[in-house]
Each structure stands twice: as C-alpha cells, then as structure tokens.
Amino acid sequence: QVQLVESGGGLVQAGASLRLSCAASGRTFSSLRMGWFRQAPGKQREFVAAISRSGGSSEYADSVKGRFIISRVNDKNTVGLQMNSLKPEDTALYYCAADRNGYTRGSHPTLFDYWGQGTQVTVSS
C-alpha cells in the first residue's frame, strides 16, 4: 500500500556528512509517521530517528542525537536524514519506514508498517 525508496548512501571518511532521502508513494504521505532505522552486520535493526506527520515533533536515538537531523517535505512526499560528523560505528544499511498510525510515538520497529529496501552507508577511518 505504501512504497518507500531510499537513496543517498555511499562510502565516506569519518567526520564527513551525508544526506539520505526517502521517496514515498501509494498513500497520503501526510498521514504517515516516518522513521529511519539501520542494521549493521551481525546486529539487529536499530532505531535512528522518527518524525511526526506534520514535522513538528521528532525522536532520535541517543547514539545520533546532536549529529543527525530528520526532516520531511509533505508536498514532495519525501523524508530526509542529514548525517553529520559520521563515525565508523554509523556504518550500516539504512532503512526508511512508515507508520500508518501516525499519532503514535516510540522507537520499536514493530510500530512501523512499511519498509524500504535500504541504502548502504559505509564510514571509513
């Protein structure tokens, strides 16, 4: 019902910045709470950030707080993740996700109903 496509991943050096984008289609975008998750080899998928339907509220994992910024442009059906001061431990496959119950809050992956295919971010030292 909702299709999500991530872009913007790549290989960068520690300390660099990178911007990820997610394009959504198939459902009224403004009705969805949007989020980003990541999964590194040998680890479970972990929460990165989420943004409310209107963009007025956001949540961040402690590991990225102060370095990453989530944003959305509802009239373009996109959500972004600006990643600054990247560290090798940020290396992971990054997923865009959508929560059809846009009024909810929280970081559990089970709260999100739709997922993109992921985009790889690799940070070298």
Side-chain angles (χ1 to χ4, degrees):
Q1 192 172 358
V2 175
Q3 294 79 46
L4 304 172
V5 180
E6 304 96 333
S7 62
L11 187 145
V12 298
Q13 192 172 330
S17 296
L18 202 60
R19 180 175 171 81
L20 305 183
S21 294
C22 174
S25 62
R27 189 169 184 161
T28 303
F29 184 68
S30 60
S31 71
L32 303 168
R33 181 170 72 112
M34 301 299 299
W36 288 95
F37 290 76
R38 66 188 184 187
Q39 188 166 20
K43 299 180 66 177
Q44 293 190 18
R45 191 167 301 185
E46 66 175 353
F47 172 77
V48 176
I51 189 166
S52 63
R53 292 173 295 168
S54 68
S57 182
S58 60
E59 306 167 70
Y60 295 94
D62 288 341
S63 59
V64 306
K65 196 171 298 181
R67 297 190 298 121
F68 291 9
I69 302 171
I70 189 171
S71 62
R72 67 189 297 163
V73 182
N74 283 349
D75 62 1
K76 293 190 179 294
N77 290 3
T78 59
V79 59
L81 185 68
Q82 178 66 44
M83 304 184 294
N84 300 317
S85 301
L86 283 163
K87 306 173 181 179
E89 50 262 46
D90 294 319
T91 295
L93 190 65
Y94 282 71
Y95 296 92
C96 178
D99 175 7
R100 62 188 175 189
N101 299 310
Y103 54 86
T104 57
R105 302 276 292 177
S107 60
H108 290 284
T110 54
L111 294 173
F112 292 82
D113 305 288
Y114 311 104
W115 297 83
Q117 81 291 340
T119 185
Q120 179 67 39
V121 172
T122 302
V123 184
S124 65
S125 58

